[in-house]
Amino acid sequence: MKSLIVGAGRLGTQIAQVLAAAQNDVTLVDHDEDRIAELEGRLAVRLAAGDACEPAFLEHTGALTTDLLIAATGNDEDNLVISLLAKRRFDVPRVAARVNDAENTWLFDHRWGVDVPVPAATPLISLIEEATGATDTVALLRLSKAGVNVIETAITTRSRAAGRALAEIVLPAGTVIATVIRDGQPTVPTPEVRLLPGDELLLVSHTATEQEIHAAFQ
């Protein structure tokens, strides 16, 4: 599946990492050139800086052949314009858009090209926050087309994986680490990365359960 994600904030970068780990073709774009430069070499996706409200830029980033577009900026007006362009001009089959202000939810429907409105407290983010404060491992979502589950686990001072390098962790079969989130920033999960309390990991697996992921890290 070819995915185009607009908005390289926390939500956009996490989704990009998860989709890339599931062997999707992912492009992440943002209007902030400094933000894109900051992410260079840290994400296994294509990056581009520009205004996604401009049709020419969307076309340049592959909108004509995109299967899924996610408008994940922090501005509802931008997300609506991007969604409308994606659906009406580029005929993107699946368009999801982040709703930052709940009062604007009524706008995020097919009239603006939105197939899936995503509240600011999207399940991906809210479950990660809940996991940090209440539990250490939780299944976030299932990517049905790819046939994989996305599971998040949080490292605490009590986790047996704390202080260990990723190369030392034995993962269940068919499981890969998509990203390690440290201080709110995604990092490339190289074997040398040593886990610290406060780290959050997103894992993609064809077969592993929450219990198996918990056993590997906690």
Side-chain angles (χ1 to χ4, degrees):
M1 182 172 69
K2 186 173 181 179
S3 303
L4 176 59
I5 302 168
V6 181
R10 187 181 183 194
L11 175 62
T13 52
Q14 288 177 355
I15 293 174
Q17 284 280 62
V18 169
L19 292 176
Q23 305 303 310
N24 287 281
D25 182 350
V26 181
T27 300
L28 176 64
V29 306
D30 197 279
H31 72 279
D32 188 338
E33 294 184 3
D34 291 337
R35 175 58 176 165
I36 292 299
E38 178 187 348
L39 293 173
E40 287 286 353
R42 298 174 60 183
L43 299 175
V45 304
R46 280 187 299 278
L47 298 168
D51 185 358
C53 292
E54 293 290 337
F57 178 71
L58 274 183
E59 183 172 354
H60 173 72
T61 54
L64 282 170
T65 56
T66 288
D67 301 301
L68 168 67
L69 182 141
I70 301 174
T73 80
N75 185 292
D76 283 346
E77 290 83 358
D78 287 350
N79 289 342
L80 286 171
V81 170
I82 293 163
S83 297
L84 188 62
L85 285 172
K87 184 65 71 175
R88 300 287 182 258
R89 179 151 184 171
F90 299 107
D91 199 26
V92 176
R94 190 76 167 167
V95 177
R98 182 179 187 179
V99 185
N100 296 281
D101 185 341
E103 293 185 1
N104 294 330
T105 302
W106 65 278
L107 289 167
F108 285 73
D109 60 17
H110 67 279
R111 293 170 298 178
W112 279 92
V114 178
D115 296 307
V116 182
V118 183
T122 176
L124 181 62
I125 297 301
S126 63
L127 284 173
I128 288 175
E129 295 302 325
E130 289 175 18
T132 304
T135 185
D136 49 55
T137 306
V138 61
L140 299 179
L141 55 90
R142 178 170 179 79
L143 302 174
S144 57
K145 284 189 176 181
V148 297
N149 292 312
V150 180
I151 300 173
E152 195 266 357
T153 191
I155 304 301
T156 70
T157 55
R158 298 187 299 273
S159 301
R160 65 191 188 97
R164 299 173 64 188
L166 292 180
E168 302 173 40
I169 309 296
V170 179
L171 297 174
T175 301
V176 297
I177 299 172
T179 186
V180 177
I181 302 165
R182 180 170 294 169
D183 298 326
Q185 297 295 323
T187 60
V188 176
T190 60
E192 297 79 19
V193 170
R194 196 165 294 276
L195 296 175
L196 302 175
D199 287 350
E200 303 167 22
L201 292 86
L202 293 180
L203 301 101
V204 177
S205 180
H206 285 280
T207 58
T209 64
E210 293 172 66
Q211 292 76 17
E212 289 173 316
I213 298 300
H214 175 90
F217 291 91
Q218 307 298 334

